[in-house]
Structures are given as C-alpha cells and as structure tokens.
Amino acid sequence: MSFTRRNLLLMAAAIGIAAGPATAYAADVLNVGAYPTNPPFEYKNESGTFEGFEVDIVNEAAKRIGMTTDIADLGFQALFAATTSKRIDVAISSITITAERLKSQSFTQPYYDSDMGIATKTDSAISKEADLKGKVVGVLSGSTGETWVKDHQQADGFSDVKGYDTQQNLLLDLSAGRVDAAVSDIPGMQYSFKKMKDLVVKERIKTGEQYGLMMTKDHPLLGKLNDAITAMKKDGTLAAIHKKWFDSDAPADSSTVKEMPLPKA
C-alpha cells in the first residue's frame, strides 16, 4: 500500500515538472525587464509605473497575443543575464540588434532606427570625432556606444574611457566636467537635453542601429510577438506610438513603419 502510494506521489511530481513550462505560459503573463531611466523609451513615472515608447510597444504586442505584462526594474547589463537565465521573457531598453548579441539572444524584427552621437558641454571646443584625441570619453557600460568607443580608442587617441551604470550618471558627469564627451544613442540624449540645457550632441555617428524586443534565445513566443509587431506596423499603431512619444511622424522607410525580417544569427 505504501509502495503504491509512493509511486503515485512520484508520478504526480513528474507530471507537475513536465507541465511546468506549459503552466508558466498558460499564466498569460509576459515577464519583461526594463532599464528604468531611459526616456522616452522607458522610465518610471512619479507613481513608480513604467511608461515610454517601448513600454507601449511591448504592452500592445502582449495584448494582441492574449497576455499582460509584468515589467521588472533592471540595470542595462543585467537585462542580458536575465533573458539568458530565463528570469524574464523580454528585455526592452533601446537594445540594438547586433550579430554578436544574436549568438546568445533572439530579437523580434526592429521597430526603431537610430544612430549614436558625440555629446559635450555646449561651450566645449570639441566639435567632431577628431577632437577627442587626449580626452576622457564616457559610455554606458554594456552598450553599443561602449563597443564603438573601445574599438576607436587606440586610433583616435582617447586618453581614457569611463563606463557608467546609468545614462543619467553618465550625463551628470559630463555636465560636471568629469568626462570630456559622451558617446551614446542620439534619441535618448536629445530627450535628456531638453532639461540639461548645457549639453548638446556635436556629431552624429552613422551606425544604422535598429532596436527590437530582446528575448531568450529561440523563445517559444518569439514568432507570436513578431507577428504582433507586423500587425502593429500594418494598421498604423506603431506609427501612432512613435508620434505620441517623439512628436513627429516616423520616416516612411524606417523600421517603425516597414515590415522587416526576423533577425538571424
């Protein structure tokens, strides 16, 4: 009798384990990680709720596949570990799709085109890349800006590269003169410079970067979320979200409007 009972318990446990992933997805909650100080893409409002361009995108995409979102506050670098470990399903934070990242992550099709820029204090003598020789350049750690700066450090003669955990700390140090220039994504910096009047983008670095939803490698919901983004482009929802947050129409040939292929490693 006890042997039969034990077997029944073991069988029940095995069934529960086998059903684990299906049960997780049946909960209809998409676990999202976001960097909390990256306006207008994502940030926390006064009530502690996430808002922003990418927040609207992931919420709408989730809604279209019958899910709700639970957005967790994570540092930029922590987002990559969180998707890899399957702690979250999706990461948002103006994350550029790159060949290197596609080796360990999956991305939906892109929905925003961007370039990087060199920012300085308004009265700085630095006006172009060549002027950075012998200067201290600040970057957001783990970003494509950091990759670009380190790739150019020897050729351009930067005296030092300083990494920061948040964009806010990077720009505050730039304003305080603790770094001579910052290299980061232009849209986020320009949004911040509406309030930080002493800072300005001096030169655009044409990188052709594109942002997408970053997900656990080969996540089972990748195709569904990608299809939702396609539908949002076709019915004008994505263009409307762009207009809401950037107060301008997305270019007709941009990834905000055009359907794009699923990125492949």
Side-chain angles (χ1 to χ4, degrees):
M1 180 71 174
S2 63
F3 178 79
T4 305
R5 192 172 172 186
R6 183 181 303 165
N7 276 300
L8 287 171
L9 289 171
L10 288 171
M11 288 175 62
I15 291 168
I17 291 169
T23 303
Y25 293 119
D28 297 334
V29 175
L30 190 70
N31 293 305
V32 180
Y35 174 55
T37 53
N38 186 37
F41 294 94
E42 46 275 314
Y43 64 93
K44 280 187 171 182
N45 59 26
E46 292 180 356
S47 66
T49 302
F50 271 100
E51 292 184 345
F53 174 69
E54 289 181 300
V55 176
D56 282 358
I57 290 174
V58 76
N59 283 342
E60 178 65 21
K63 178 182 175 183
R64 292 184 182 220
I65 65 170
M67 302 183 78
T68 58
T69 61
D70 182 10
I71 305 180
D73 178 337
L74 295 172
F76 185 77
Q77 287 181 295
L79 293 170
F80 298 87
T83 50
T84 300
S85 66
K86 301 183 181 180
R87 176 183 168 192
I88 58 174
D89 303 298
V90 177
I92 55 172
S93 286
S94 53
I95 303 174
T96 301
I97 303 166
T98 69
E100 184 64 28
R101 288 171 177 170
L102 282 166
K103 292 177 182 178
S104 59
Q105 313 283 342
S106 286
F107 283 86
T108 63
Q109 64 181 291
Y111 48 69
Y112 190 84
D113 302 338
S114 179
D115 287 319
M116 287 188 294
I118 297 170
T120 70
K121 296 188 73 170
T122 306
D123 59 359
S124 171
I126 297 169
S127 64
K128 56 186 181 299
E129 182 181 337
D131 297 333
L132 296 177
K133 184 175 182 179
K135 305 299 184 183
V136 179
V137 182
V139 295
L140 178 64
S141 296
S143 69
T144 50
E146 179 183 46
T147 301
W148 185 91
V149 168
K150 289 186 174 180
D151 286 347
H152 288 75
Q153 183 175 7
Q154 185 172 357
D156 288 348
F158 311 148
S159 65
D160 193 17
V161 177
K162 292 185 67 175
Y164 291 83
D165 58 347
T166 70
Q167 180 100 321
Q168 181 181 18
N169 287 340
L170 165 60
L171 298 180
L172 286 173
D173 263 17
L174 178 61
S175 182
R178 286 186 279 271
V179 294
D180 299 301
V183 174
S184 191
D185 297 332
I186 285 179
M189 290 198 296
Q190 288 182 329
Y191 188 87
S192 297
F193 296 168
K194 290 180 180 180
K195 294 182 178 179
M196 305 178 79
K197 303 293 186 181
D198 62 328
L199 301 179
V200 65
V201 175
K202 292 287 188 70
E203 184 176 26
R204 179 179 288 268
I205 302 170
K206 297 291 288 183
T207 57
E209 294 183 64
Q210 295 182 314
Y211 307 154
L213 300 182
M214 186 173 77
M215 304 184 70
T216 300
K217 188 70 174 176
D218 300 323
H219 195 292
L221 294 176
L222 175 64
K224 289 185 177 181
L225 286 173
N226 191 70
D227 288 346
I229 290 173
T230 295
M232 290 163 64
K233 291 182 180 183
K234 287 182 175 179
D235 66 18
T237 300
L238 245 171
I241 294 173
H242 184 283
K243 179 76 171 179
K244 171 185 173 181
W245 288 103
F246 296 99
D247 198 26
S248 63
D249 293 325
D253 62 346
S254 71
S255 65
T256 306
V257 176
K258 291 177 61 178
E259 182 181 351
M260 307 287 285
L262 197 67
K264 300 293 184 182

